[in-house]
Amino acid sequence: MVKYNERALDATFHALADPTRRAILARLSLGQVSVGELAKPFEMSLPAVSKHLKVLEGAQLITRHRDGRVSRMEFNPDAMMGAVDWITHYKKFWESQLDKLARFLEDTKPTGEDNNGKNTKG
Amino acid sequence: MVKYNERALDATFHALADPTRRAILARLSLGQVSVGELAKPFEMSLPAVSKHLKVLEGAQLITRHRDGRVSRMEFNPDAMMGAVDWITHYKKFWESQLDKLARFLEDTKPTGEDNNGKNTKG
DNA sequence: ATTATATTTAACCAAATGGTTAAATATAAT
DNA sequence: ATTATATTTAACCATTTGGTTAAATATAAT
């Protein structure tokens, strides 16, 4: 009855447990950026950001597209799904909040209009 | 733009990033248990479990009900909602999976029917 | 009052984390 | 070929983490 990939959950939750890394994901969710561009707004060295990227990459929350000497980082939210999936197991314990979430999801469900022509994957 | 409580997210994700702590939550989701009972199945010392409980308590994922010398730990999933809320911000990046989740949530939405013990996932 | 039970705290340790600066690598431009 | 740019690796450091055992605390039972 091993339902979840514990190592993957470790990696995902650990990656998400740092504010810099969450900010990186937020930034990348707006579109691909180079490491240098990505690092600019952060008040830390480039190697520090590089390390964070490695953690995110290890958790498969981002992927790398090398283009010459520039590494363009891309958001890859699949691993987040795993986290949500795990948390959702506890849905019956927060039914009222769930109701709110369900309504929210229903509200924004892709019925053919919500997709802004963006490729959602690959 | 929605402002998230970064410190709370740090605490929540960090708490969830450990397999022992996730197992503790899984156990507590079945009902309140004392610290001793809780610790039994884990191959580690009681103080180690105690520390994990502190982390979970700090993240407000569990609460403590002291009854004499026995501490009954209770699952408190509200903080998880915060994590889901944050992740859900990225919903547009995984629409197909979102659709699956939305259907799942709809399917098990508490509309008066009791879906006790039925795990529709997996 | 003494003893047993439940749990936490203290002191300690190794490994991991998150940061630094300096050097190395790889590619691009001149 | 030389130099500039983008990024990573190496070496280092302080703090945190996750575990240990021994001692302390608090309550219950005899």
Side-chain angles (χ1 to χ4, degrees), chain B residues 14 18 20-21 43-45 47-48 51-52 68-69:
Chain B
H14 169 67
D18 181 278
T20 301
R21 289 195 290 266
E43 299 228 320
M44 68 180 65
S45 68
K51 279 187 184 178
H52 281 303
R69 65 186 158 178

Side-chain angles (χ1 to χ4, degrees), chain A residues 12-19 21-22, chain B residues 6 9-15 17:
Chain A
T12 305
F13 284 126
H14 169 67
L16 296 179
D18 182 278
R21 288 195 290 265
R22 287 196 306 275
Chain B
E6 295 292 333
L9 287 170
D10 287 359
T12 305
F13 284 127
H14 169 67

Side-chain angles (χ1 to χ4, degrees), chain B residues 23-42 49 53 62-66 70-75:
Chain B
I24 287 173
L25 290 177
R27 179 78 195 270
L28 288 182
S29 77
L30 304 175
Q32 299 186 3
V33 213
S34 73
V35 174
E37 275 299 309
L38 198 51
K40 267 182 195 163
F42 296 105
V49 172
L53 292 175
I62 63 178
T63 53
R64 183 182 303 263
H65 298 281
R66 199 135 219 168
V70 178
S71 262
R72 272 208 182 59
M73 312 308 295
E74 187 183 23
F75 183 42

